[in-house]
Amino acid sequence: MKNVLIYLIVFILICFIVPAMLTKRTVSTGVQENNSSDAQDNQTIQKNEEVVYEYNKYGTINLLHKKTGEVEQVNIDEYLCNVVSAEMPADYEIEALKAQAIVARTYTIYKILNKKHENADICDDSTCCQAWISKDDRLARWEESKRESNWQKICDAVNDTKGKIITYNNVPINAFFHSNSGGITEIPVNVWGGTGYPYLQSVETSGEDAYTQYSSEVVLKQEELLEKLKEKYSDISIDFSNEDDIKILEYTEGNRIKTIKFGNHEVSGVEVRSLLGLRSANFEVIREGDSIKFSVKGYGHGVGMSQTGADSLAKQGKNADEIIKHFYKDVEIKEVNLI
């Protein structure tokens, strides 16, 4: 009897309970597979969707073309594609280009808020505002095989950072930038005077010596040097036989020449850079017979973000936000709609 009961229980297990368990497992697996498929479909949809950033303000700007005097109303991000393509080489790392896009957008909005042009927000002259080049002119200067990919890369950098600006105390900063810092940036008071900005400090960046913009030189005959200095100081007199008649007197925080003596005048490094056509105020003076050689480090005023420095940091694995916070101290990167 006991054996019959055991056989009966085994029979019930085989016929009813085991199939039910198998059915449940199969259904459960099927649901998981369907959910996985739905998730993949959702990811595909999200990936293919274009994220549209809506500017509450600053979506369009009035751009002054200096040569013609024409004022053109343009979409800010279309304008920035032209700016970034004029300001930074397309073969730089994408994170460096993104940093340049954020810096250029910030600089643009700063100019809008601190209006300089009566009938426009900003102009296309790099000596006044920031560089700008038309798409056609930019494409024509690139190798034909790289034109479309270069333009797309630059516009991707602008569009991937839509609406992003740099702020200090919730206000857009004066986002200065330059080509190459020579390894260390400068504070603005040493270039333009005034009180400066707390977010623009002297910072070091490794890797800038790998770029052609890092070093240059200008060699002048003694008579040529004297003539160039006389453009500003008509009464200047230099005794070239006296070693102390050309002497560096003081350096800035950024290792640039603050003051240099030329004969009977003490001249700022910034003035020397301008008068002699040097790429930077970071220079050494070397006597070579009847010539004077100015051995220069860096390219530009040295304030704010170094473009080669940004590319070097990107090559070291830094992203755009990290690059920006390296060059601008105690800043935040915000959506322009939130300021």
Side-chain angles (χ1 to χ4, degrees), residues 174-233:
N174 196 354
F176 291 109
F177 57 94
H178 59 282
S179 179
N180 184 297
S181 77
I184 184 168
T185 63
E186 187 58 270
I187 60 173
V189 68
N190 288 329
V191 181
W192 302 294
T195 56
Y197 302 91
Y199 48 83
L200 291 170
Q201 301 298 324
S202 184
V203 298
E204 295 186 31
T205 310
S206 63
E208 290 202 73
D209 54 349
Y211 296 79
T212 58
Q213 297 94 326
Y214 179 78
S215 61
S216 59
E217 63 180 43
V218 170
V219 180
L220 298 170
K221 294 291 186 183
Q222 293 173 356
E223 297 78 12
E224 289 178 297
L225 173 60
L226 201 55
E227 287 304 309
K228 286 181 179 291
L229 292 173
K230 279 184 176 180
E231 292 176 16
K232 177 73 181 287
Y233 302 98

Side-chain angles (χ1 to χ4, degrees), residues 236-255:
I236 197 164
S237 173
I238 303 173
D239 180 1
F240 289 100
S241 65
N242 183 353
E243 290 287 331
D244 287 338
D245 252 28
I246 300 179
K247 184 178 181 181
I248 295 169
L249 302 177
E250 190 178 5
Y251 289 90
T252 69
E253 290 84 346
N255 204 38

Side-chain angles (χ1 to χ4, degrees), residues 133-144 146-148 151:
I133 188 171
S134 71
K135 181 180 178 180
D136 288 343
D137 286 346
R138 177 70 276 179
L139 293 177
R141 297 182 191 183
W142 281 325
E143 185 181 321
E144 188 173 359
K146 296 181 179 179
R147 287 174 185 170
E148 290 305 323
W151 186 256

Side-chain angles (χ1 to χ4, degrees), residues 33 40 58 110 140 155 165 194 215 226 251 299 307 322 328:
E33 288 174 354
Q40 288 174 356
Y58 311 121
Y110 182 89
C155 289
I165 61 165
S215 61
L226 201 55
Y251 289 90
Y299 196 161
Q307 293 169 318
E322 290 170 324
Y328 307 98

Side-chain angles (χ1 to χ4, degrees), residues 60-163:
T60 58
I61 63 168
N62 293 313
L63 171 64
L64 170 63
H65 296 287
K66 268 295 201 57
K67 286 184 179 178
T68 64
E70 174 196 1
V71 176
E72 179 186 8
Q73 193 171 75
V74 294
N75 172 278
I76 189 169
D77 289 322
E78 289 178 11
Y79 159 74
L80 290 173
C81 289
N82 299 98
V83 169
V84 174
S85 72
E87 291 284 8
M88 182 174 273
D91 61 359
Y92 276 20
E93 296 290 320
I94 186 65
E95 291 301 318
L97 287 163
K98 286 181 183 179
Q100 180 69 61
I102 296 169
V103 166
R105 186 181 292 106
T106 306
Y107 187 81
T108 302
I109 292 170
Y110 182 89
K111 286 290 186 181
I112 292 171
L113 295 173
N114 298 271
K115 212 168 181 65
K116 183 173 183 178
H117 299 285
E118 186 177 344
N119 59 341
D121 297 316
I122 199 166
C123 77
D124 60 2
D125 182 356
S126 63
T127 62
C128 177
C129 294
Q130 59 187 350
W132 178 96
I133 188 171
S134 71
K135 181 180 178 180
D136 288 343
D137 286 346
R138 177 70 276 179
L139 293 177
R141 297 182 191 183
W142 281 325
E143 185 181 321
E144 188 173 359
S145 63
K146 296 181 179 179
R147 287 174 185 170
E148 290 305 323
S149 61
N150 280 355
W151 186 256
Q152 188 60 52
K153 183 180 178 183
I154 284 167
C155 289
D156 284 347
V158 171
N159 292 327
D160 287 349
T161 61
K162 273 183 182 290

Side-chain angles (χ1 to χ4, degrees), residues 6-25:
I6 291 170
Y7 291 138
L8 183 59
I9 290 167
V10 171
F11 177 78
I12 291 169
L13 285 170
I14 293 170
C15 292
F16 297 100
I17 296 175
V18 172
M21 289 173 64
L22 290 172
T23 304
K24 185 176 182 181
R25 183 173 294 174

